[in-house]
Amino acid sequence: MSQGANRHDGSGSGMSGSGISGSPEAGFAGAPHATTVVALRYADGVIMAGDRRATMGNVIAHRSMEKVFAADRYSAVAIAGSAGMAVEMVRLFQVQLEHYEKVEGTTLSLEGKANQLAQMVRQNLPLAMQGFVAVPLFAGYDTARGIGRIFSYDATGGHYEDTDFQATGSGGRDARSTIKLGFRENMTRDEAVDLAIQSLYEAADEDSATGGPDLVRGIYPLIAVVDADGYRLLPEEEVADRFGALIARKQAERAEQGLPGGGAQ
């Protein structure tokens, strides 16, 4: 998990004794699965990012799947696990938040949104026990506290606030390790975006189900920013430029060490 203590919100139990895996990639191989998504805090909000690959067993089912969505103006949700279940969960979550705002004339608090999503994950538990595990990652800007916050989930609906960062999906461990090594308090937006990009690159390097930048097709991970100005996706051109800079830097490092692949390709 992320640096610092994680807070259990008491909305669900852990996976112990349940007989199912809490890992979203450990699902039914006959359906497309979304893989790696990450979230991390920076000085003014949160960054959320996800690769674009969906897999079905050992086959690439989709090369340009969207896994990062706006939940509402000040929050974002990313998905891992059974793709169909997860996308439908996100759509229903978006409608519920919009309906609440129209009926009540105000938005739910960020914790209220996290609790609402936890209930939806818990309702999917019977299907999760059959292998259709859908596990979201939720993050947003807390307008009351003026900070970015991140919540992760397990398949039973338990949700936990992560102090600094979190990643889930088949490449989540590698992405988390990369962020852990590079994370520091009060990073700028650009520093946090570059760290998220590096985490997905390293995850794709180790995990076959995680898609890295596809330079031939022009497909790059989705990167979203949520701060006091709300939710917005980074332009694809900016993401491509940042991946290009990362690859150039790695090629230069290999060239300095005299390793194959160093220098311009």
Side-chain angles (χ1 to χ4, degrees):
M1 304 293 279
S2 66
Q3 294 174 344
N6 294 322
R7 186 174 69 208
H8 193 301
D9 288 330
S11 64
S13 61
M15 301 304 296
S16 176
S18 66
I20 64 174
S21 171
S23 174
E25 65 273 14
F28 179 58
H33 275 69
T35 48
T36 308
V37 293
V38 305
L40 64 151
R41 289 194 310 106
Y42 72 102
D44 298 321
V46 291
I47 301 294
M48 183 168 275
D51 80 306
R52 306 291 294 277
R53 179 174 293 176
T55 59
M56 192 161 54
N58 65 334
V59 177
I60 297 176
H62 207 301
R63 300 181 188 276
S64 58
M65 179 181 175
E66 295 185 2
K67 305 176 189 177
V68 178
F69 306 87
D72 64 3
R73 181 179 176 186
Y74 290 107
S75 60
V77 59
I79 57 171
S82 181
M85 304 296 177
V87 170
E88 287 302 313
M89 185 184 296
V90 168
R91 289 173 178 167
L92 181 57
F93 183 49
Q94 292 169 328
V95 170
Q96 288 183 340
L97 294 184
E98 183 178 356
H99 177 73
Y100 180 91
E101 183 175 354
K102 288 182 177 179
V103 171
E104 300 295 333
T106 186
T107 60
L108 273 171
S109 67
L110 196 65
E111 288 180 341
K113 297 171 192 176
N115 291 338
Q116 180 67 35
L117 185 55
Q119 293 175 12
M120 298 178 68
V121 175
R122 187 179 300 114
Q123 289 169 0
N124 190 60
L125 182 57
L127 288 171
M129 296 183 71
Q130 299 177 52
F132 296 99
V133 182
V135 179
L137 191 58
F138 179 69
Y141 182 78
D142 191 330
T143 56
R145 296 171 57 179
I147 59 172
R149 300 172 67 184
I150 301 167
F151 297 86
S152 58
Y153 296 79
D154 63 37
T156 67
H159 68 295
Y160 317 90
E161 183 167 3
D162 296 280
T163 308
D164 297 321
F165 57 84
Q166 186 53 277
T168 189
S170 61
R173 181 184 63 180
D174 300 300
R176 231 176 359 255
S177 297
T178 300
I179 296 175
K180 183 177 181 180
L181 291 172
F183 184 87
R184 60 182 178 79
E185 285 290 338
N186 297 316
M187 289 190 296
T188 65
R189 192 210 75 154
D190 287 346
E191 290 171 338
V193 168
D194 284 341
L195 185 55
I197 283 174
Q198 184 177 355
S199 73
L200 291 176
Y201 180 93
E202 299 296 347
D205 196 42
E206 297 294 333
D207 173 48
S208 62
T210 302
D214 189 332
L215 306 183
V216 173
R217 297 179 178 88
I219 300 171
Y220 298 89
L222 293 179
I223 314 288
V225 177
V226 190
D227 57 17
D229 294 325
Y231 171 98
R232 58 199 180 276
L233 279 175
L234 264 61
E236 190 173 72
E237 295 78 8
E238 179 181 347
V239 177
D241 288 345
R242 290 179 182 275
F243 266 109
L246 172 63
I247 293 170
R249 185 169 69 248
K250 287 187 171 292
Q251 289 175 337
E253 290 172 354
R254 293 183 67 84
E256 289 179 359
Q257 300 171 23
L259 298 173
Q265 296 293 315

